[in-house]
Amino acid sequence: MYHSVHTWHNRGLVISPELFDEQCRAMVEAGWRCASLSEAEDYLLHGSRLPPRTAWLTFDDGYLDNYVYAWPILKKYGLHGTICATLELVESVGAPRLTLEDVWEGRAGMEDLPVAGNPMQPHPELGFEERKDTFLSWEEVRRMEASGVMHTIAHSLRHDKVFVSPRYEGFFQPKKRVRTFDRVRGQILWGLPCFEIEAALASRAFIPSEKLLEAVAGLVPQDKIAAHAFFQDADKVADLEQLVAGFAPEELGALESESAMFERFKAEFARCKERLEAETASPVRTFCWPWGKFSPLARDAAKQVGFSVFVTTAAGSNRPGRADAVKRINVKARPPQELLKRMDLHTHPWLADIYKSLRFRWKWK
């Protein structure tokens, strides 16, 4: 499980193009090969045989750097990869951008490549930093598909969350944003209570009441700059706290019904499948859960619309014919030899299970 192959580093989800190149070279030199998407699906669904030392490389979220850096490096070593794309963040227009291959072939310099800097950008007026990631375009997705090196699966529409209860702490306000995927589904107003949240495909949603939304909108300005000024005034914040405290718990909102939750799940999966198949002209049957979180009801809904392979973030090996909960190794910025040791360990499922159990116990001591 990879995320970004990028020149900017953060807490393990981003590795440099140089390290990724070293990891790919080490895999090839150690006799590893990478499964294409169709090979992985056939193995997981039908138990089709794969050569020894076969890995399936996945790249979560659909960042532009997967195209700029990871795709040329995989092509260089004759390897395959699969991008788990957040579909509504894939850009709809624009010509394919430059890649590392353009640098190798003398058509551009490293300084000409996109996504080479820190995604944390200061707000021009308010000063605090906001995270602004760049994502693939559909033309770039199709270009990688045509190469046979990189294929794309669904990773939800927005990789978002939902409120799950009337419990709250603080209020939504303009401030520093450090996470890529911290959005909550539905109408979010400045001044709305920060209700408890969970992954959108794992939980029944709590829907704030119209009465609450109207009251908040009537007190807190919805212009970003004006809202920021509102929260700098302690008296105005106290007014907001008093306003919300005046609502009984049942007046704050209500949980959606189980049938509404199922229909929400089903609509999401149907839109994912329809959009990805329309853009790539390829059948879509694999879904990667955002944050690895899901409910059995969500998986049932996905199966109803035609998904049959489900990728998680749980660590471990994958036995043939087990497509309901595909496990992965989180690569992070591991030195090549350390990564190879982990990969070799996971060629023995029973040994990988023991390792996982011992590691979990050690972690919590």
Side-chain angles (χ1 to χ4, degrees):
M1 176 173 59
Y2 288 93
H3 286 76
S4 275
V5 178
H6 197 299
T7 55
W8 176 68
H9 295 272
N10 81 334
R11 298 182 298 180
L13 293 183
V14 180
I15 73 167
S16 69
E18 293 79 13
L19 179 55
F20 183 64
D21 188 290
E22 291 174 12
Q23 290 177 344
C24 289
R25 183 175 69 250
M27 287 183 213
V28 171
E29 290 175 351
W32 282 89
R33 64 182 295 275
C34 291
S36 65
L37 173 60
S38 60
E39 284 181 317
E41 289 175 335
D42 288 345
Y43 170 82
L44 293 162
L45 283 169
H46 311 300
S48 301
R49 293 182 64 85
L50 288 171
R53 292 199 163 192
T54 296
W56 184 25
L57 304 189
T58 58
F59 298 79
D60 283 13
D61 304 331
Y63 297 109
L64 175 57
D65 57 65
N66 295 174
Y67 166 79
V68 174
Y69 297 111
W71 176 46
I73 292 171
L74 290 174
K75 193 189 306 185
K76 172 182 173 181
Y77 290 105
L79 301 175
H80 296 277
T82 298
I83 293 175
C84 313
T86 307
L87 299 182
E88 287 191 357
L89 298 183
V90 179
E91 299 176 11
S92 296
V93 296
R97 284 159 281 197
L98 296 170
T99 75
L100 196 55
E101 189 171 32
D102 292 301
V103 175
W104 294 338
E105 296 185 359
R107 294 188 293 269
M110 288 294 292
E111 69 279 3
D112 299 318
L113 298 182
V115 296
N118 189 333
M120 300 302 298
Q121 301 296 324
H123 188 281
E125 294 180 70
L126 300 178
F128 54 72
E129 289 184 322
E130 297 180 298
R131 182 156 181 164
K132 297 183 180 296
D133 294 278
T134 47
F135 293 88
L136 297 161
S137 73
W138 284 114
E139 188 58 38
E140 289 158 352
V141 168
R142 287 188 286 270
R143 188 179 179 198
M144 289 188 289
E145 290 266 342
S147 74
V149 173
M150 282 281 229
H151 294 281
T152 304
I153 62 174
H155 194 39
S156 80
L157 293 172
R158 294 289 302 180
H159 204 308
D160 54 4
K161 297 185 177 183
V162 291
F163 296 131
V164 294
S165 85
R167 293 188 293 273
Y168 68 91
E169 183 175 345
F171 303 93
F172 282 89
Q173 59 182 290
K175 60 182 180 180
K176 181 176 181 177
R177 179 172 177 247
V178 298
R179 296 185 179 276
T180 307
F181 300 108
D182 59 356
R183 304 299 190 189
V184 179
R185 185 170 301 193
Q187 185 179 10
I188 304 301
L189 302 175
W190 298 128
L192 188 68
C194 294
F195 296 113
E196 183 181 7
I197 59 175
E198 253 299 350
L201 295 175
S203 310
R204 183 177 295 187
F206 174 79
I207 312 298
S209 68
E210 288 298 324
K211 181 180 178 181
L212 175 65
L213 294 173
E214 289 175 5
V216 168
L219 179 63
V220 182
Q222 294 306 302
D223 172 78
K224 192 171 189 176
I225 295 175
H228 183 265
F230 176 95
F231 279 98
Q232 307 313 302
D233 187 323
D235 291 337
K236 291 182 178 179
V237 174
D239 289 341
L240 176 61
E241 291 171 343
Q242 185 176 4
L243 171 73
V244 176
F247 281 74
E250 63 273 13
E251 293 179 311
L252 291 172
L255 288 171
E256 66 184 343
S257 66
E258 186 166 310
S259 61
M261 175 173 59
F262 184 79
E263 290 305 314
R264 171 169 62 85
F265 291 159
K266 193 173 176 180
E268 168 113 0
F269 295 120
R271 287 172 62 195
C272 283
K273 196 170 193 300
E274 179 182 1
R275 181 68 187 274
L276 192 49
E277 288 183 340
E279 295 288 356
T280 65
S282 299
V284 173
R285 51 183 178 173
T286 299
F287 191 90
C288 178
W289 300 109
W291 300 286
K293 295 184 177 182
F294 64 96
S295 71
L297 196 64
R299 190 165 57 196
D300 290 345
K303 288 183 175 182
Q304 280 198 17
V305 302
F307 286 100
S308 52
V309 180
F310 300 94
V311 180
T312 74
T313 57
S317 298
N318 295 294
R319 294 171 173 84
R322 299 189 184 182
D324 269 6
V326 179
K327 300 174 182 179
R328 296 185 288 173
I329 301 170
N330 190 1
V331 175
K332 300 185 179 180
R334 301 183 190 279
Q337 292 309 310
E338 182 183 338
L339 175 59
L340 290 177
K341 288 178 182 177
R342 291 287 299 279
M343 293 172 71
D344 285 336
L345 171 70
H346 284 80
T347 62
H348 307 285
W350 61 272
L351 193 57
D353 290 344
I354 293 173
Y355 171 80
K356 180 182 176 182
S357 175
L358 291 175
R359 186 168 178 267
F360 180 82
R361 291 178 188 174
W362 176 83
K363 179 180 179 181
W364 292 106
K365 282 185 178 180

